[in-house]
Amino acid sequence: MAGFPLEHDALAAQVGELLAARGEKVAVSETTAGGLISARMLSVPGASRWYDGGIIPYAGAHRWTQLELDVEIARQHGAVSAPWVAATAEGLRKALGCAWALAESGIAGPQGSRRSPKPVGSVVIALAGPAGAVTEEHLFPGSRVEVMAQIAERALRLLREALEAAGPPGG
C-alpha cells in the first residue's frame, strides 16, 4: 500500500496549479489528519507559491489562543461540529491573511472520544474563502490511518472544487 506523501500527488498538484493561477494562497488547520493535508501539498514542487502555512492544534487550547476563537462555540457545539470547524477555518484565514483556509476536526479512533458521543470516523471539514465558509460532515470508515487519509483526500477535493467553481480572483 502506498503511503503519503506521494512522489507525484496529482490532486495536490491540481490544487496548487489552481491557486497559483489565481495568485492566491491556502492555509490549513489539521486536528485529526495530523499534518497529512499539508504534507500532500508540500510534496508538490513550488508549493511555496501557494501554500501559506498550517497548524496542528491537537490540543484544543491551541486553536482558541492562536486563532483568537470564541471557546464558547466549542463548549456549546463540540470540537467536531460545523460551527467550531468553520470558525477555525475563518480564524486561520484571518490570522494568516490568505485567500483560503481549510480546517478539520474529527475522531480517528480506534477509541471514541471521551467528550463526544459521535462515533469513530466522525469528521467535519470546513473551507473558508473569499465568499465565506462551507462545511461538510462525514463518517469515514476504516482504521485510524485510513480515516486520516480520507480526511486529507476529501479536504483537497473540497478545495479543488471550490477553486474550480470560483470566478476570477476578486470576482
Side-chain angles (χ1 to χ4, degrees):
M1 179 173 137
F4 288 104
L6 301 173
E7 194 61 40
H8 177 72
D9 190 320
L11 177 56
Q14 291 169 349
V15 165
E17 290 168 11
L18 290 165
L19 284 163
R22 297 175 61 82
E24 296 174 341
K25 290 192 173 195
V26 64
V28 183
S29 173
E30 305 181 61
T31 301
T32 312
L36 187 53
I37 300 166
S38 294
R40 288 186 63 180
M41 290 182 180
L42 293 173
S43 73
V44 177
S48 61
R49 293 178 299 139
W50 48 269
Y51 178 86
D52 202 29
I55 62 171
I56 303 173
Y58 201 68
H62 294 300
R63 271 180 282 190
W64 56 78
T65 56
Q66 291 178 349
L67 302 179
E68 300 179 6
L69 301 180
D70 181 0
V71 70
E72 287 305 314
I73 298 170
R75 285 187 183 133
Q76 184 176 16
H77 300 283
V80 183
S81 70
W84 179 247
V85 180
T88 301
E90 290 167 346
L92 182 62
R93 182 175 180 259
K94 179 182 173 188
L96 271 62
C98 54
W100 302 89
L102 279 167
E104 58 82 6
S105 185
I107 304 167
Q111 296 92 3
S113 169
R114 287 174 282 137
R115 289 173 252 152
S116 174
K118 294 182 179 185
V120 169
S122 297
V123 175
V124 178
I125 301 170
L127 174 64
V134 296
T135 60
E136 295 182 349
E137 297 187 36
H138 298 277
L139 183 57
F140 291 129
S143 70
R144 181 178 182 86
V145 171
E146 290 169 333
V147 169
M148 293 168 71
Q150 290 173 86
I151 293 167
E153 181 73 14
R154 183 60 204 141
L156 288 169
R157 288 186 185 281
L158 177 63
L159 178 55
R160 182 184 67 189
E161 292 162 7
L163 289 165
E164 289 172 342

Short mmCIF file of all heavy atoms in Angstrom, two decimals, residues 12-80:
data_model
loop_
_atom_site.label_atom_id
_atom_site.label_comp_id
_atom_site.label_asym_id
_atom_site.label_seq_id
_atom_site.Cartn_x
_atom_site.Cartn_y
_atom_site.Cartn_z
N ALA A 12 -3.03 17.18 -5.20
CA ALA A 12 -2.36 18.33 -4.58
C ALA A 12 -1.75 19.23 -5.66
O ALA A 12 -1.79 20.46 -5.53
CB ALA A 12 -1.29 17.85 -3.61
N ALA A 13 -1.22 18.64 -6.71
CA ALA A 13 -0.66 19.44 -7.81
C ALA A 13 -1.74 20.26 -8.51
O ALA A 13 -1.53 21.43 -8.84
CB ALA A 13 0.06 18.54 -8.81
N GLN A 14 -2.92 19.66 -8.72
CA GLN A 14 -4.03 20.41 -9.33
C GLN A 14 -4.45 21.58 -8.46
O GLN A 14 -4.68 22.69 -8.96
CB GLN A 14 -5.23 19.48 -9.55
CG GLN A 14 -5.03 18.44 -10.60
CD GLN A 14 -6.14 17.39 -10.60
OE1 GLN A 14 -6.96 17.32 -9.68
NE2 GLN A 14 -6.16 16.57 -11.63
N VAL A 15 -4.55 21.35 -7.15
CA VAL A 15 -4.89 22.43 -6.22
C VAL A 15 -3.86 23.54 -6.33
O VAL A 15 -4.19 24.73 -6.42
CB VAL A 15 -4.99 21.89 -4.78
CG1 VAL A 15 -4.98 23.01 -3.76
CG2 VAL A 15 -6.23 21.03 -4.61
N GLY A 16 -2.58 23.16 -6.35
CA GLY A 16 -1.52 24.15 -6.45
C GLY A 16 -1.58 24.95 -7.73
O GLY A 16 -1.40 26.17 -7.72
N GLU A 17 -1.85 24.29 -8.83
CA GLU A 17 -1.95 24.99 -10.12
C GLU A 17 -3.10 25.99 -10.11
O GLU A 17 -2.96 27.12 -10.60
CB GLU A 17 -2.14 23.98 -11.26
CG GLU A 17 -0.92 23.14 -11.55
CD GLU A 17 -1.22 21.96 -12.47
OE1 GLU A 17 -2.33 21.89 -13.05
OE2 GLU A 17 -0.33 21.09 -12.59
N LEU A 18 -4.23 25.58 -9.55
CA LEU A 18 -5.39 26.47 -9.48
C LEU A 18 -5.11 27.69 -8.60
O LEU A 18 -5.44 28.82 -8.95
CB LEU A 18 -6.62 25.71 -8.98
CG LEU A 18 -7.20 24.68 -9.95
CD1 LEU A 18 -8.15 23.74 -9.21
CD2 LEU A 18 -7.91 25.38 -11.10
N LEU A 19 -4.50 27.45 -7.45
CA LEU A 19 -4.17 28.56 -6.55
C LEU A 19 -3.13 29.48 -7.19
O LEU A 19 -3.28 30.72 -7.15
CB LEU A 19 -3.65 28.04 -5.21
CG LEU A 19 -4.70 27.48 -4.27
CD1 LEU A 19 -4.07 26.62 -3.19
CD2 LEU A 19 -5.52 28.61 -3.65
N ALA A 20 -2.09 28.92 -7.77
CA ALA A 20 -1.04 29.74 -8.39
C ALA A 20 -1.61 30.57 -9.54
O ALA A 20 -1.25 31.75 -9.68
CB ALA A 20 0.10 28.84 -8.88
N ALA A 21 -2.50 30.00 -10.32
CA ALA A 21 -3.11 30.74 -11.43
C ALA A 21 -3.92 31.93 -10.93
O ALA A 21 -4.02 32.95 -11.61
CB ALA A 21 -4.00 29.80 -12.26
N ARG A 22 -4.46 31.81 -9.73
CA ARG A 22 -5.25 32.89 -9.14
C ARG A 22 -4.37 33.86 -8.34
O ARG A 22 -4.85 34.88 -7.88
CB ARG A 22 -6.32 32.30 -8.21
CG ARG A 22 -7.35 31.43 -8.91
CD ARG A 22 -8.30 30.77 -7.93
NE ARG A 22 -9.06 31.75 -7.16
CZ ARG A 22 -10.16 32.37 -7.59
NH1 ARG A 22 -10.63 32.10 -8.80
NH2 ARG A 22 -10.78 33.24 -6.84
N GLY A 23 -3.12 33.47 -8.11
CA GLY A 23 -2.25 34.30 -7.29
C GLY A 23 -2.67 34.30 -5.83
O GLY A 23 -2.49 35.28 -5.12
N GLU A 24 -3.22 33.17 -5.37
CA GLU A 24 -3.75 33.07 -4.00
C GLU A 24 -3.04 31.96 -3.23
O GLU A 24 -2.40 31.10 -3.82
CB GLU A 24 -5.26 32.81 -4.04
CG GLU A 24 -6.03 33.97 -4.65
CD GLU A 24 -7.51 33.69 -4.83
OE1 GLU A 24 -7.92 32.51 -4.81
OE2 GLU A 24 -8.25 34.66 -5.00
N LYS A 25 -3.19 32.03 -1.90
CA LYS A 25 -2.58 31.04 -1.03
C LYS A 25 -3.62 30.40 -0.13
O LYS A 25 -4.69 30.95 0.09
CB LYS A 25 -1.48 31.68 -0.18
CG LYS A 25 -0.27 32.09 -1.00
CD LYS A 25 0.89 32.45 -0.11
CE LYS A 25 2.13 32.67 -0.96
NZ LYS A 25 3.34 32.68 -0.13
N VAL A 26 -3.25 29.24 0.42
CA VAL A 26 -4.10 28.48 1.33
C VAL A 26 -3.32 28.20 2.61
O VAL A 26 -2.10 28.06 2.59
CB VAL A 26 -4.59 27.16 0.69
CG1 VAL A 26 -3.45 26.21 0.40
CG2 VAL A 26 -5.67 26.49 1.54
N ALA A 27 -4.05 28.10 3.70
CA ALA A 27 -3.51 27.67 4.99
C ALA A 27 -4.38 26.52 5.49
O ALA A 27 -5.53 26.38 5.08
CB ALA A 27 -3.52 28.82 5.99
N VAL A 28 -3.82 25.71 6.40
CA VAL A 28 -4.52 24.51 6.84
C VAL A 28 -4.42 24.35 8.36
O VAL A 28 -3.35 24.51 8.93
CB VAL A 28 -3.92 23.25 6.15
CG1 VAL A 28 -4.69 22.01 6.54
CG2 VAL A 28 -3.88 23.41 4.65
N SER A 29 -5.55 24.01 8.99
CA SER A 29 -5.58 23.61 10.40
C SER A 29 -6.00 22.15 10.44
O SER A 29 -7.11 21.81 10.01
CB SER A 29 -6.58 24.47 11.18
OG SER A 29 -6.73 23.98 12.50
N GLU A 30 -5.11 21.30 10.94
CA GLU A 30 -5.35 19.85 10.93
C GLU A 30 -5.35 19.29 12.34
O GLU A 30 -4.30 19.16 12.95
CB GLU A 30 -4.26 19.16 10.11
CG GLU A 30 -4.14 19.71 8.71
CD GLU A 30 -3.08 19.00 7.91
OE1 GLU A 30 -3.23 17.77 7.71
OE2 GLU A 30 -2.13 19.65 7.49
N THR A 31 -6.51 18.97 12.82
CA THR A 31 -6.62 18.39 14.15
C THR A 31 -6.48 16.87 14.09
O THR A 31 -5.72 16.29 14.86
CB THR A 31 -7.98 18.75 14.76
OG1 THR A 31 -8.08 20.17 14.82
CG2 THR A 31 -8.13 18.18 16.15
N THR A 32 -7.15 16.23 13.18
CA THR A 32 -7.19 14.78 13.11
C THR A 32 -6.23 14.22 12.06
O THR A 32 -5.64 13.17 12.27
CB THR A 32 -8.63 14.31 12.81
OG1 THR A 32 -9.51 14.99 13.69
CG2 THR A 32 -8.79 12.81 13.01
N ALA A 33 -6.06 14.91 10.95
CA ALA A 33 -5.18 14.44 9.88
C ALA A 33 -3.71 14.59 10.25
O ALA A 33 -2.84 14.02 9.59
CB ALA A 33 -5.48 15.17 8.58
N GLY A 34 -3.40 15.37 11.28
CA GLY A 34 -2.06 15.43 11.82
C GLY A 34 -0.97 15.93 10.89
O GLY A 34 0.18 15.54 11.02
N GLY A 35 -1.32 16.74 9.93
CA GLY A 35 -0.34 17.28 9.00
C GLY A 35 -0.35 16.62 7.64
O GLY A 35 0.40 17.03 6.74
N LEU A 36 -1.20 15.62 7.45
CA LEU A 36 -1.22 14.90 6.19
C LEU A 36 -1.68 15.77 5.02
O LEU A 36 -1.15 15.66 3.91
CB LEU A 36 -2.12 13.65 6.31
CG LEU A 36 -2.13 12.69 5.13
CD1 LEU A 36 -0.73 12.26 4.73
CD2 LEU A 36 -2.99 11.48 5.48
N ILE A 37 -2.64 16.67 5.25
CA ILE A 37 -3.08 17.57 4.18
C ILE A 37 -1.90 18.44 3.76
O ILE A 37 -1.60 18.57 2.57
CB ILE A 37 -4.27 18.45 4.64
CG1 ILE A 37 -5.46 17.59 5.05
CG2 ILE A 37 -4.66 19.43 3.54
CD1 ILE A 37 -6.54 18.35 5.82
N SER A 38 -1.22 19.02 4.74
CA SER A 38 -0.07 19.88 4.44
C SER A 38 1.05 19.09 3.77
O SER A 38 1.67 19.58 2.82
CB SER A 38 0.45 20.53 5.72
OG SER A 38 -0.51 21.42 6.23
N ALA A 39 1.31 17.88 4.24
CA ALA A 39 2.37 17.06 3.65
C ALA A 39 2.08 16.79 2.18
O ALA A 39 2.99 16.85 1.35
CB ALA A 39 2.53 15.74 4.42
N ARG A 40 0.82 16.52 1.87
CA ARG A 40 0.48 16.28 0.48
C ARG A 40 0.70 17.53 -0.36
O ARG A 40 1.23 17.46 -1.47
CB ARG A 40 -0.97 15.79 0.36
CG ARG A 40 -1.13 14.36 0.87
CD ARG A 40 -2.50 13.81 0.64
NE ARG A 40 -2.81 13.73 -0.79
CZ ARG A 40 -3.96 13.28 -1.27
NH1 ARG A 40 -4.88 12.82 -0.42
NH2 ARG A 40 -4.19 13.23 -2.56
N MET A 41 0.32 18.68 0.18
CA MET A 41 0.53 19.92 -0.56
C MET A 41 2.01 20.23 -0.72
O MET A 41 2.46 20.62 -1.80
CB MET A 41 -0.18 21.08 0.15
CG MET A 41 -1.68 21.02 0.07
SD MET A 41 -2.36 22.49 0.89
CE MET A 41 -4.09 22.21 0.67
N LEU A 42 2.76 20.05 0.35
CA LEU A 42 4.18 20.39 0.32
C LEU A 42 5.02 19.40 -0.48
O LEU A 42 6.18 19.69 -0.79
CB LEU A 42 4.71 20.52 1.74
CG LEU A 42 4.13 21.71 2.50
CD1 LEU A 42 4.57 21.68 3.96
CD2 LEU A 42 4.51 23.02 1.85
N SER A 43 4.45 18.27 -0.87
CA SER A 43 5.17 17.33 -1.73
C SER A 43 5.23 17.84 -3.17
O SER A 43 6.01 17.34 -3.97
CB SER A 43 4.50 15.95 -1.70
OG SER A 43 3.28 15.96 -2.42
N VAL A 44 4.47 18.87 -3.48
CA VAL A 44 4.43 19.43 -4.84
C VAL A 44 5.53 20.48 -4.97
O VAL A 44 5.57 21.45 -4.19
CB VAL A 44 3.05 20.07 -5.13
CG1 VAL A 44 3.03 20.71 -6.51
CG2 VAL A 44 1.94 19.04 -4.98
N PRO A 45 6.43 20.31 -5.94
CA PRO A 45 7.46 21.33 -6.14
C PRO A 45 6.84 22.70 -6.39
O PRO A 45 5.85 22.82 -7.11
CB PRO A 45 8.21 20.83 -7.38
CG PRO A 45 7.96 19.35 -7.42
CD PRO A 45 6.56 19.19 -6.87
N GLY A 46 7.41 23.72 -5.77
CA GLY A 46 6.90 25.08 -5.95
C GLY A 46 5.74 25.44 -5.05
O GLY A 46 5.10 26.47 -5.23
N ALA A 47 5.46 24.60 -4.06
CA ALA A 47 4.31 24.84 -3.18
C ALA A 47 4.40 26.17 -2.44
O ALA A 47 3.37 26.71 -2.03
CB ALA A 47 4.16 23.68 -2.18
N SER A 48 5.58 26.69 -2.28
CA SER A 48 5.72 27.97 -1.56
C SER A 48 5.01 29.11 -2.27
O SER A 48 4.71 30.13 -1.65
CB SER A 48 7.19 28.33 -1.36
OG SER A 48 7.84 28.47 -2.61
N ARG A 49 4.68 28.94 -3.53
CA ARG A 49 3.93 29.98 -4.28
C ARG A 49 2.48 30.05 -3.83
O ARG A 49 1.84 31.08 -3.99
CB ARG A 49 3.97 29.71 -5.78
CG ARG A 49 5.34 29.85 -6.40
CD ARG A 49 5.31 29.53 -7.88
NE ARG A 49 4.87 28.14 -8.07
CZ ARG A 49 4.04 27.73 -9.03
NH1 ARG A 49 3.55 28.57 -9.90
NH2 ARG A 49 3.70 26.46 -9.12
N TRP A 50 1.95 28.95 -3.28
CA TRP A 50 0.51 28.91 -2.98
C TRP A 50 0.14 28.32 -1.62
O TRP A 50 -1.00 28.41 -1.20
CB TRP A 50 -0.23 28.16 -4.09
CG TRP A 50 0.40 26.85 -4.45
CD1 TRP A 50 1.34 26.61 -5.41
CD2 TRP A 50 0.14 25.58 -3.85
NE1 TRP A 50 1.69 25.28 -5.42
CE2 TRP A 50 0.96 24.63 -4.49
CE3 TRP A 50 -0.72 25.14 -2.83
CZ2 TRP A 50 0.96 23.27 -4.15
CZ3 TRP A 50 -0.72 23.80 -2.48
CH2 TRP A 50 0.12 22.88 -3.15
N TYR A 51 1.10 27.75 -0.90
CA TYR A 51 0.84 27.22 0.44
C TYR A 51 1.39 28.22 1.45
O TYR A 51 2.58 28.53 1.44
CB TYR A 51 1.52 25.86 0.63
CG TYR A 51 1.33 25.28 2.02
CD1 TYR A 51 0.20 24.54 2.32
CD2 TYR A 51 2.26 25.50 3.02
CE1 TYR A 51 0.02 24.00 3.60
CE2 TYR A 51 2.09 24.97 4.29
CZ TYR A 51 0.96 24.23 4.57
OH TYR A 51 0.78 23.71 5.83
N ASP A 52 0.51 28.74 2.32
CA ASP A 52 0.93 29.79 3.25
C ASP A 52 1.41 29.25 4.58
O ASP A 52 2.28 29.82 5.21
CB ASP A 52 -0.23 30.77 3.47
CG ASP A 52 0.25 32.12 3.96
OD1 ASP A 52 1.39 32.51 3.64
OD2 ASP A 52 -0.52 32.78 4.65
N GLY A 53 0.83 28.16 5.06
CA GLY A 53 1.24 27.61 6.34
C GLY A 53 0.13 26.79 6.95
O GLY A 53 -0.95 26.67 6.39
N GLY A 54 0.42 26.27 8.12
CA GLY A 54 -0.59 25.46 8.78
C GLY A 54 -0.30 25.29 10.25
O GLY A 54 0.79 25.61 10.73
N ILE A 55 -1.29 24.78 10.94
CA ILE A 55 -1.16 24.46 12.35
C ILE A 55 -1.76 23.07 12.59
O ILE A 55 -2.63 22.62 11.83
CB ILE A 55 -1.83 25.50 13.27
CG1 ILE A 55 -3.34 25.57 13.03
CG2 ILE A 55 -1.19 26.87 13.11
CD1 ILE A 55 -4.09 26.42 14.05
N ILE A 56 -1.25 22.42 13.61
CA ILE A 56 -1.80 21.14 14.03
C ILE A 56 -2.20 21.31 15.49
O ILE A 56 -1.45 20.97 16.40
CB ILE A 56 -0.80 19.99 13.84
CG1 ILE A 56 -0.35 19.94 12.37
CG2 ILE A 56 -1.43 18.66 14.26
CD1 ILE A 56 0.77 18.96 12.11
N PRO A 57 -3.39 21.86 15.71
CA PRO A 57 -3.83 22.13 17.09
C PRO A 57 -4.48 20.90 17.72
O PRO A 57 -5.68 20.84 17.92
CB PRO A 57 -4.84 23.26 16.90
CG PRO A 57 -5.45 22.96 15.56
CD PRO A 57 -4.35 22.36 14.73
N TYR A 58 -3.65 19.91 18.01
CA TYR A 58 -4.17 18.65 18.53
C TYR A 58 -4.84 18.84 19.88
O TYR A 58 -5.89 18.28 20.14
CB TYR A 58 -3.05 17.62 18.60
CG TYR A 58 -3.56 16.20 18.62
CD1 TYR A 58 -4.19 15.66 17.50
CD2 TYR A 58 -3.43 15.41 19.75
CE1 TYR A 58 -4.66 14.36 17.51
CE2 TYR A 58 -3.90 14.11 19.76
CZ TYR A 58 -4.51 13.59 18.65
OH TYR A 58 -4.99 12.31 18.67
N ALA A 59 -4.25 19.66 20.73
CA ALA A 59 -4.89 20.03 21.99
C ALA A 59 -5.73 21.28 21.71
O ALA A 59 -5.24 22.25 21.15
CB ALA A 59 -3.86 20.32 23.07
N GLY A 60 -7.00 21.24 22.06
CA GLY A 60 -7.94 22.29 21.70
C GLY A 60 -7.53 23.70 22.07
O GLY A 60 -7.84 24.65 21.37
N ALA A 61 -6.80 23.88 23.17
CA ALA A 61 -6.45 25.22 23.62
C ALA A 61 -5.64 25.98 22.59
O ALA A 61 -5.74 27.21 22.50
CB ALA A 61 -5.67 25.15 24.93
N HIS A 62 -4.86 25.29 21.78
CA HIS A 62 -4.07 25.98 20.76
C HIS A 62 -4.94 26.74 19.78
O HIS A 62 -4.58 27.82 19.35
CB HIS A 62 -3.20 24.99 19.99
CG HIS A 62 -2.14 24.35 20.82
ND1 HIS A 62 -1.16 25.06 21.46
CD2 HIS A 62 -1.93 23.06 21.13
CE1 HIS A 62 -0.38 24.24 22.12
NE2 HIS A 62 -0.83 23.01 21.95
N ARG A 63 -6.07 26.17 19.43
CA ARG A 63 -6.93 26.82 18.45
C ARG A 63 -7.44 28.15 18.95
O ARG A 63 -7.38 29.14 18.25
CB ARG A 63 -8.11 25.92 18.07
CG ARG A 63 -7.76 25.02 16.92
CD ARG A 63 -8.93 24.18 16.58
NE ARG A 63 -8.98 23.12 17.60
CZ ARG A 63 -9.77 22.08 17.53
NH1 ARG A 63 -10.58 21.94 16.53
NH2 ARG A 63 -9.75 21.16 18.47
N TRP A 64 -7.99 28.17 20.15
CA TRP A 64 -8.60 29.43 20.55
C TRP A 64 -7.57 30.47 20.96
O TRP A 64 -7.84 31.65 20.90
CB TRP A 64 -9.71 29.28 21.57
CG TRP A 64 -9.43 28.57 22.85
CD1 TRP A 64 -8.79 29.07 23.93
CD2 TRP A 64 -9.82 27.25 23.19
NE1 TRP A 64 -8.74 28.14 24.92
CE2 TRP A 64 -9.38 27.00 24.50
CE3 TRP A 64 -10.52 26.25 22.53
CZ2 TRP A 64 -9.60 25.81 25.16
CZ3 TRP A 64 -10.74 25.06 23.19
CH2 TRP A 64 -10.28 24.85 24.47
N THR A 65 -6.37 30.05 21.36
CA THR A 65 -5.36 31.06 21.69
C THR A 65 -4.66 31.57 20.43
O THR A 65 -4.53 32.77 20.25
CB THR A 65 -4.32 30.51 22.68
OG1 THR A 65 -3.72 29.34 22.15
CG2 THR A 65 -4.94 30.21 24.02
N GLN A 66 -4.26 30.67 19.54
CA GLN A 66 -3.56 31.09 18.33
C GLN A 66 -4.47 31.81 17.34
O GLN A 66 -4.03 32.72 16.65
CB GLN A 66 -2.91 29.89 17.64
CG GLN A 66 -1.76 29.31 18.41
CD GLN A 66 -1.17 28.10 17.71
OE1 GLN A 66 -1.73 27.56 16.76
NE2 GLN A 66 -0.02 27.66 18.20
N LEU A 67 -5.70 31.39 17.26
CA LEU A 67 -6.61 31.94 16.26
C LEU A 67 -7.65 32.89 16.85
O LEU A 67 -8.53 33.35 16.15
CB LEU A 67 -7.31 30.81 15.50
CG LEU A 67 -6.38 29.83 14.79
CD1 LEU A 67 -7.18 28.75 14.10
CD2 LEU A 67 -5.47 30.55 13.81
N GLU A 68 -7.56 33.14 18.16
CA GLU A 68 -8.48 34.04 18.84
C GLU A 68 -9.94 33.64 18.62
O GLU A 68 -10.79 34.46 18.30
CB GLU A 68 -8.23 35.49 18.40
CG GLU A 68 -6.82 35.97 18.72
CD GLU A 68 -6.56 37.39 18.28
OE1 GLU A 68 -7.49 38.08 17.80
OE2 GLU A 68 -5.40 37.81 18.40
N LEU A 69 -10.21 32.36 18.82
CA LEU A 69 -11.56 31.85 18.64
C LEU A 69 -12.35 31.96 19.94
O LEU A 69 -11.79 31.93 21.02
CB LEU A 69 -11.53 30.38 18.19
CG LEU A 69 -10.79 30.10 16.89
CD1 LEU A 69 -10.86 28.61 16.59
CD2 LEU A 69 -11.36 30.90 15.74
N ASP A 70 -13.65 32.03 19.80
CA ASP A 70 -14.55 32.08 20.95
C ASP A 70 -14.76 30.65 21.46
O ASP A 70 -15.44 29.85 20.82
CB ASP A 70 -15.88 32.71 20.54
CG ASP A 70 -16.88 32.82 21.67
OD1 ASP A 70 -16.56 32.40 22.80
OD2 ASP A 70 -17.98 33.33 21.41
N VAL A 71 -14.17 30.34 22.59
CA VAL A 71 -14.24 28.99 23.14
C VAL A 71 -15.68 28.56 23.41
O VAL A 71 -15.98 27.36 23.45
CB VAL A 71 -13.36 28.87 24.39
CG1 VAL A 71 -13.93 29.66 25.54
CG2 VAL A 71 -13.17 27.43 24.78
N GLU A 72 -16.59 29.49 23.56
CA GLU A 72 -17.99 29.15 23.80
C GLU A 72 -18.59 28.38 22.63
O GLU A 72 -19.51 27.58 22.82
CB GLU A 72 -18.82 30.40 24.12
CG GLU A 72 -18.55 30.96 25.50
CD GLU A 72 -18.76 29.92 26.61
OE1 GLU A 72 -19.78 29.20 26.59
OE2 GLU A 72 -17.89 29.82 27.49
N ILE A 73 -18.08 28.61 21.43
CA ILE A 73 -18.57 27.85 20.26
C ILE A 73 -18.28 26.37 20.48
O ILE A 73 -19.14 25.52 20.26
CB ILE A 73 -17.94 28.37 18.96
CG1 ILE A 73 -18.32 29.82 18.70
CG2 ILE A 73 -18.35 27.49 17.77
CD1 ILE A 73 -17.56 30.48 17.56
N ALA A 74 -17.06 26.06 20.90
CA ALA A 74 -16.69 24.66 21.15
C ALA A 74 -17.46 24.09 22.33
O ALA A 74 -17.90 22.95 22.29
CB ALA A 74 -15.19 24.54 21.40
N ARG A 75 -17.63 24.87 23.36
CA ARG A 75 -18.37 24.39 24.53
C ARG A 75 -19.82 24.10 24.19
O ARG A 75 -20.40 23.13 24.67
CB ARG A 75 -18.28 25.40 25.67
CG ARG A 75 -16.94 25.42 26.33
CD ARG A 75 -16.92 26.31 27.56
NE ARG A 75 -15.59 26.33 28.12
CZ ARG A 75 -14.94 27.41 28.48
NH1 ARG A 75 -15.52 28.60 28.37
NH2 ARG A 75 -13.73 27.36 28.98
N GLN A 76 -20.40 24.94 23.36
CA GLN A 76 -21.81 24.79 23.02
C GLN A 76 -22.05 23.69 21.98
O GLN A 76 -23.00 22.94 22.08
CB GLN A 76 -22.38 26.11 22.52
CG GLN A 76 -23.86 26.08 22.24
CD GLN A 76 -24.39 27.45 21.84
OE1 GLN A 76 -23.66 28.36 21.49
NE2 GLN A 76 -25.70 27.59 21.88
N HIS A 77 -21.17 23.61 20.98
CA HIS A 77 -21.40 22.70 19.85
C HIS A 77 -20.47 21.49 19.81
O HIS A 77 -20.75 20.52 19.12
CB HIS A 77 -21.27 23.46 18.53
CG HIS A 77 -22.23 24.58 18.38
ND1 HIS A 77 -23.55 24.39 18.06
CD2 HIS A 77 -22.07 25.92 18.56
CE1 HIS A 77 -24.17 25.56 18.01
NE2 HIS A 77 -23.29 26.50 18.32
N GLY A 78 -19.33 21.56 20.50
CA GLY A 78 -18.33 20.50 20.45
C GLY A 78 -17.24 20.81 19.44
O GLY A 78 -17.43 21.62 18.53
N ALA A 79 -16.10 20.16 19.62
CA ALA A 79 -14.96 20.39 18.73
C ALA A 79 -15.14 19.73 17.37
O ALA A 79 -14.48 20.12 16.40
CB ALA A 79 -13.68 19.89 19.39
N VAL A 80 -16.01 18.73 17.28
CA VAL A 80 -16.29 18.08 15.99
C VAL A 80 -17.68 18.55 15.57
O VAL A 80 -18.65 17.80 15.59
CB VAL A 80 -16.19 16.55 16.11
CG1 VAL A 80 -16.41 15.89 14.74
CG2 VAL A 80 -14.85 16.13 16.68
#
